[in-house]
Amino acid sequence: MLRFLTAGESHGPALTAIIEGFPAGVPLDKQVIDEQLKRRQSSFGRGGRMKIEQDEAEVLSGVRKGLTLGSPITLVVRNRDWENWHDVMSADAGEINPEREAEKRVTRPRPGHADLAGALKYRHIDLRNVLERASARETAARVAVGTVARTLLEHLGCMIFSHVVQIGVAACGAADADRKEYAEIAELARSSPVGCADREKAGEMIREIERAQEAGDTLGGVFEVVCLGLPPGLGSHVHWDRRLDTRLAAALMSIPSVKGVEIGLGFRGAGLAGSKFHDPVCYEKGRGFYRPTNHAGGIEGGMTNGEPLVMRAAVKPVPTLRNPLPSVDLFTKEEAGAAVERSDVCVVPAAAVVAEAVTAWVLADAVLEKFGNDTLDEIRLRWGEYRAYLEKV
Ligand SMILES: Cc1cc2nc3c(=O)[nH]c(=O)nc-3n(C[C@H](O)[C@H](O)[C@H](O)COP(=O)(O)O)c2cc1C
């Protein structure tokens, strides 16, 4: 139903995204996109680049007087750093500055990054040709795109949030929150510099990041994404690529540095007996079917089951190290420390914001599949009818 493409290099003039298939009549406020862009930039552990960039979105098409038109939506996020880089990154062959180019050429691939595989694949002699697009700067465009999708979900009464549960060895205990607790977790996480709802653990996480920074090292961790208010039946059991868990896992894995995804208890539930793992089915008049526990994380058989959607993702430590790991120079083949770019120390909270955006995108797509995709009014009507049916069935 929904499609989008992003384009843009990290130190190019801008990131651009075009969204296609988004319904008409959805109120869309640029400020809301900018708020999410700011959240992606401002967590503790991010590097110097984020002090230069103050991301904001320009909406170039598809929206008129604050309402979507049903036509393609074009979003642009400009790179402020471009003014320091145009002689190196310009598309214009006439603008070549050999001295600056030599200064900015990257020849020592960073372990853990796209540098080496990308250079071998595309036969690049400057790793910058790879890292400029492999850079997670691209996720700013995806946050802008996902916020458009999120707006639709919010108009239907859904709420998406994330919280960080581990950075380095500082980890929160297991939580099986109920809906009321979730609202509290969302609020606490949003006001935490590391996106963690547990104040004491957040302090430990900050100290972990400070220690890593001092040592010239980096850290990873784990975040959780939650969506409340989804009806049962989004996605489908009938084919592998229509399963919602397939699509959600792909979206989370597409975030650079995410190396593991679990839905519900996931890996943590693998050792439990079926009688302890599965969520009993209950029924209450006026409420319909519900579950007293949510170990499935709101998805069964590739469809939402009406319980909160709960997913976790493992983020590996940032590959660029101030104290670099051994590498080999692309030209001389001599052993040398990997290249050091200005870099983040820990991106788990930022990755969690990106995860909210990519989750919103997949969910909005599934909503349009079930309820139509022309106008918000029609979608709302069908959503309401379905909700009424669920209460009576
Ligand atoms: C929001 C965000 C910011 C990131 N910032 C950096 C960074 O400053 N330096 C770095 O080396 N990697 C950074 N990464 C991770 C790399 O982009 C990622 O590890 C790399 O593209 C290789 O992809 P892979 O880890 O999925 O294999 C960041 C990731 C995210 C999600």
Side-chain angles (χ1 to χ4, degrees), residues 344-367:
D344 299 320
V345 175
C346 175
V347 299
V348 182
V353 175
V354 180
E356 290 176 29
V358 301
T359 298
W361 181 263
V362 171
L363 293 176
D365 192 36
V367 164

Side-chain angles (χ1 to χ4, degrees), residues 2-8 15-20 73-75 133 138 141-142 145 361:
L2 276 174
R3 295 182 285 169
F4 77 93
L5 276 179
T6 73
L15 301 161
T16 308
I18 299 182
I19 297 173
E20 212 280 310
I73 299 173
T74 309
L75 302 170
R133 182 62 184 161
E138 181 266 345
R142 278 199 280 162
V145 164
W361 181 263

Side-chain angles (χ1 to χ4, degrees), residues 15-199:
L15 301 161
T16 308
I18 299 182
I19 297 173
E20 212 280 310
F22 198 75
V26 181
L28 188 62
D29 180 355
K30 169 191 145 43
Q31 303 300 330
V32 175
I33 302 175
D34 292 347
E35 256 171 52
Q36 294 298 327
L37 290 173
K38 191 169 176 191
R39 285 182 66 218
R40 192 196 76 95
Q41 290 192 287
S42 51
S43 54
F44 190 80
R46 304 236 42 202
R49 173 78 189 272
M50 289 305 116
K51 292 190 179 83
I52 298 172
E53 303 298 344
Q54 278 161 21
D55 290 342
E56 54 173 305
E58 288 168 48
V59 183
L60 298 192
S61 75
V63 182
R64 186 172 177 206
K65 306 285 177 202
L67 285 180
T68 59
L69 298 173
S71 48
I73 299 173
T74 309
L75 302 170
V76 171
V77 179
R78 304 221 176 258
N79 293 321
R80 286 191 172 195
D81 214 5
W82 162 244
E83 68 178 48
N84 304 317
W85 284 81
H86 57 85
D87 53 347
V88 177
M89 291 301 297
S90 173
D92 182 356
E95 235 191 280
I96 283 174
N97 175 343
E99 260 172 45
R100 274 271 292 159
E101 283 210 7
E103 180 202 327
K104 291 293 177 190
R105 185 169 297 135
V106 184
T107 59
R108 290 166 286 125
R110 293 162 299 171
H113 224 298
D115 304 353
L116 182 58
L120 296 175
K121 177 177 170 67
Y122 292 101
R123 303 190 182 203
H124 286 311
I125 54 165
D126 182 353
L127 300 177
R128 180 159 304 287
N129 290 343
V130 178
L131 66 92
E132 282 289 332
R133 182 62 184 161
S135 158
R137 178 91 190 115
E138 181 266 345
T139 60
R142 278 199 280 162
V143 166
V145 164
T147 307
V148 175
R150 178 190 197 121
T151 307
L152 172 72
L153 297 172
E154 286 177 355
H155 280 292
L156 298 169
C158 301
M159 171 188 174
I160 296 185
F161 66 92
S162 63
H163 62 117
V164 170
V165 294
Q166 183 176 343
I167 287 180
V169 295
C172 301
D176 188 8
D178 65 24
R179 277 156 223 255
K180 198 167 97 266
E181 281 174 1
Y182 273 133
E184 207 180 314
I185 290 171
E187 214 172 291
L188 288 167
R190 211 156 168 154
S191 60
S192 158
V194 283
C196 176
D198 179 328
R199 288 233 169 90

